[in-house]
Amino acid sequence: MFSGSIPALVTPFRDGALDMQAFARLVDWQIKEGTSALVPCGTTGESPTLSFDEHYRIIDACIEAAAGRVPVIAGCGSNDTATAIRHMRHAQAAGASAALIVAPYYNRPSQEGMLAHFRALADASDLPIVVYNVPGRTVADISAETMCKLAEIPTVVATKDASGDLARVTMHRAGAGADFCQLSGNDDLWLPHAVLGGVGCISVTANVAPRLCADFAAACAAGDWARALVLHDRLFPLHKAMFTDASPAPVKYALARVHDWFSPDVRLPIIPASAASRAAVDAALVSAGVL
């Protein structure tokens, strides 16, 4: 259902408030550069710091700016099932194509609890669901067996896997079928994930290098692994630089270097990128040819 280069969009702030003009410009630039879908209000969008009103304003603005040119996968996850349902209902009414739902964080539900959470979401809304597994942030890991059970739910159409376990791609394909959409959640593992059967990546790097990431995704889709490797090597320092400090501080700094209309502002508890992180981002931008 989804494929290619899909940025987990940053949320622009200026002087503590949402910068809606910058956000609209970011969405338009992304689409013109070849991005195949958009994810507002994910972790990279600093969703934990957004009020409900801000969260919904960003989803609405993304859908409006995209204007049907690419799908919008709205970040709707929560560690409170009722809140996730509320987010999904808003996203569906606004015209989102799907909801990105992270595994419930902090609560540490059992695998049965995980299944019950996603079944409750599917019962409450028929919006397609992309299941996001990122145990490094949530602590709770959605096992391959559980993911395959989730894939039996008609509205669970895809997974964003940031477990770092590449064997999961094969395990999911074997248990959920070849049509189950598998997206990488790690930029640096995008190439091996694609070789094993993945069809794209929900990416941090694509925020700042959308054309390069779109070209890389196209090479993978065509099975042109030689070109994909060349582009992977060009992008790799940038992938690593995006996490030289707490995300999304480095990628926001990078966007401010590329666009004079973008502010690097972040919200606490994230703080601006350190001097060492900024130096790594600068070098990676030059190495990739973005600057």
Side-chain angles (χ1 to χ4, degrees), residues 128-139:
I129 294 171
V130 179
V131 178
Y132 180 19
N133 188 32
V134 56
R137 288 185 179 272
T138 66
V139 181

Side-chain angles (χ1 to χ4, degrees), residues 60-102:
D60 293 350
C62 188
I63 292 166
E64 181 181 357
R69 291 176 288 174
V70 298
V72 172
I73 306 167
C76 294
S78 175
N79 62 342
D80 170 38
T81 304
T83 296
I85 290 171
R86 174 177 173 173
H87 290 341
M88 287 181 71
R89 286 176 172 162
H90 179 92
Q92 184 168 17
S97 300
L100 180 70
I101 305 289
V102 70

Side-chain angles (χ1 to χ4, degrees), residues 107-267:
N107 315 47
R108 297 182 67 185
S110 66
Q111 296 301 302
E112 285 301 316
M114 209 81 73
L115 287 165
H117 173 74
F118 282 97
R119 285 170 178 156
L121 301 186
D123 287 344
S125 170
D126 59 3
L127 189 64
I129 294 171
V130 179
V131 178
Y132 180 19
N133 188 32
V134 56
R137 288 185 179 272
T138 66
V139 181
D141 182 18
I142 302 174
S143 71
E145 181 182 13
T146 298
M147 186 67 72
C148 294
K149 290 179 181 177
L150 290 174
E152 296 173 3
I153 300 170
T155 53
V156 173
V157 299
T159 180
K160 173 188 177 183
D161 188 87
S163 67
D165 180 5
L166 287 168
R168 303 259 180 128
V169 187
T170 302
M171 295 165 75
H172 294 161
R173 192 155 38 81
D179 291 337
F180 185 59
C181 176
Q182 297 199 64
L183 302 168
S184 176
N186 297 99
D187 283 282
D188 58 346
L189 297 179
W190 188 350
L191 178 57
H193 189 275
V195 171
L196 289 166
V199 296
C201 180
I202 296 180
S203 164
V204 175
T205 302
N207 276 281
V208 70
R211 174 56 63 186
L212 275 176
C213 288
D215 289 348
F216 172 77
C220 290
D224 187 350
W225 302 116
R227 173 150 177 76
L229 183 60
V230 169
L231 290 169
H232 167 81
D233 288 347
R234 184 173 167 187
L235 282 162
F236 193 76
L238 202 52
H239 295 333
K240 303 303 284 186
M242 293 301 95
F243 295 94
T244 49
D245 220 331
S247 182
V251 70
K252 281 192 156 183
Y253 168 74
L255 275 163
R257 295 280 285 123
V258 172
H259 295 299
D260 60 9
W261 44 263
F262 191 92
S263 167
D265 289 5
V266 290
R267 279 184 175 171

